[in-house]
Amino acid sequence: MASYGGPPRMGPAGGFMALMSGPTYGAVNQMPSDKERRINVHFRIPYMTKWGQSVVVTGTGALLGNMRYSKGITLKCHHEKDSLVWEALVSLPWQPCYKYKYALVSQEDGQQLVDAEELMEHSLLLHEGLGHGDVVEVLDTWCDRSYPGSILASSAFTKVIRQHKQMRSGGQAPQQQPAVGEAVVRFQVMDWMLEDGQVICVTGSIPQLGMWQQDQMLLLTETDTPCWQGEIRVPYSAFAFTYKYAVISRSQAAA
């Protein structure tokens, strides 16, 4: 999928957005076998590196380096206003899910050094209806141990101090199927600082996100603590749009 005039605003704690579209999306009867079907994944992540540093992405599968940074893909960078955006377009065989992770690397005496890496792995879920050659746009936000809430992800908190907090795993947000001329937009954000009874919503400048109205926000689903996800269908004509995340009480969401 082509650029839509710049990325929407991301959340501060491990934000992620994926847009899925293509001329054959949903044309299941014309689809090649899973072994033949390839999806073009466009990874994008803003990060202001220093001279000599690069951003690498690695993930599950040989084409992404089998979660080894030395075998991963080095992204290319360009400036977008005040941001330095790193990106790569990778053709991958279709499969339901890819795990991946970014790292900040540099070279010394011909050896790759990992200067920093993200706090947690990302999960990219690919719709069954994606056709051969379709493009998935992925826009991530870097989140490492410098994020103040990351201490809450340590075992000292998850297993001792906050052991009373209910942990969820293996969940999945409802999936959307777009019509012709639409894209599926998936929001995903990680937040370790939520209290019991709090939920995450998304509000924004399009009707699917409530037009900034508090009572019409998109309620995300907690899939794997601390990950929240949600999907909407958006016509191509509605891009680009702006949005932001909000934390509200569960009672507010039910009202």
Side-chain angles (χ1 to χ4, degrees):
M1 183 163 51
S3 169
Y4 292 110
R9 186 150 47 115
M10 299 302 298
F16 161 100
M17 188 180 74
L19 302 102
M20 295 172 241
S21 69
T24 59
Y25 197 117
V28 178
N29 57 349
Q30 301 176 12
M31 201 171 290
S33 67
D34 286 348
K35 291 184 178 180
E36 299 173 332
R37 189 170 21 146
R38 300 187 71 86
I39 308 301
N40 297 311
V41 180
H42 187 196
F43 294 99
R44 285 167 47 90
I45 184 166
Y47 193 96
M48 190 60 68
T49 53
K50 298 178 181 178
W51 178 258
Q53 292 180 325
S54 301
V55 176
V56 170
V57 63
T58 187
T60 49
L63 294 177
L64 289 177
N66 290 317
M67 301 303 293
R68 297 170 58 190
Y69 295 125
S70 60
K71 301 293 184 181
I73 297 170
T74 301
L75 281 60
K76 296 181 178 180
C77 65
H78 69 274
H79 285 276
E80 290 185 5
K81 296 183 179 180
D82 295 331
S83 298
L84 186 65
V85 178
W86 292 81
E87 62 181 349
L89 182 64
V90 185
S91 177
L92 298 172
W94 181 90
Q95 64 182 44
C97 179
Y98 280 94
K99 300 281 188 180
Y100 66 97
K101 199 172 184 179
Y102 297 99
L104 183 66
V105 301
S106 58
Q107 298 289 329
E108 184 174 312
D109 297 329
Q111 299 293 319
Q112 185 186 78
L113 302 178
V114 177
D115 298 331
E117 62 179 330
E118 286 195 293
L119 187 62
M120 296 184 68
E121 295 177 353
H122 298 265
S123 295
L124 175 59
L125 305 178
L126 297 179
H127 278 261
E128 174 67 34
L130 281 168
H132 179 70
D134 284 355
V135 178
V136 175
E137 295 274 355
V138 177
L139 177 59
D140 287 303
T141 299
W142 183 277
C143 183
D144 59 23
R145 295 194 180 278
S146 65
Y147 169 61
S150 66
I151 191 174
L152 300 179
S154 66
S155 58
F157 277 85
T158 58
K159 296 181 179 180
V160 181
I161 300 175
R162 306 187 80 189
Q163 60 178 327
H164 65 282
K165 183 175 176 61
Q166 184 179 5
M167 306 291 284
R168 299 182 184 274
S169 63
Q172 185 171 334
Q175 291 192 341
Q176 301 290 329
Q177 294 295 332
V180 175
E182 292 181 335
V184 170
V185 179
R186 178 186 300 137
F187 301 94
Q188 179 174 303
V189 66
M190 294 180 289
D191 196 325
W192 293 268
M193 302 178 70
L194 290 182
E195 299 293 339
D196 290 333
Q198 290 184 324
V199 297
I200 298 180
C201 299
V202 187
T203 184
S205 60
I206 55 176
Q208 294 88 337
L209 296 177
M211 300 293 292
W212 304 112
Q213 298 300 309
Q214 187 172 351
D215 60 345
Q216 298 180 39
M217 296 187 292
L218 172 69
L219 175 64
L220 300 186
T221 300
E222 186 178 16
T223 54
D224 293 275
T225 304
C227 182
W228 294 72
Q229 297 181 6
E231 292 186 355
I232 57 174
R233 294 163 47 188
V234 181
Y236 295 158
S237 59
F239 290 93
F241 61 90
T242 56
Y243 69 95
K244 62 182 179 181
Y245 293 103
V247 176
I248 64 174
S249 68
R250 197 172 295 277
S251 59
Q252 285 179 287

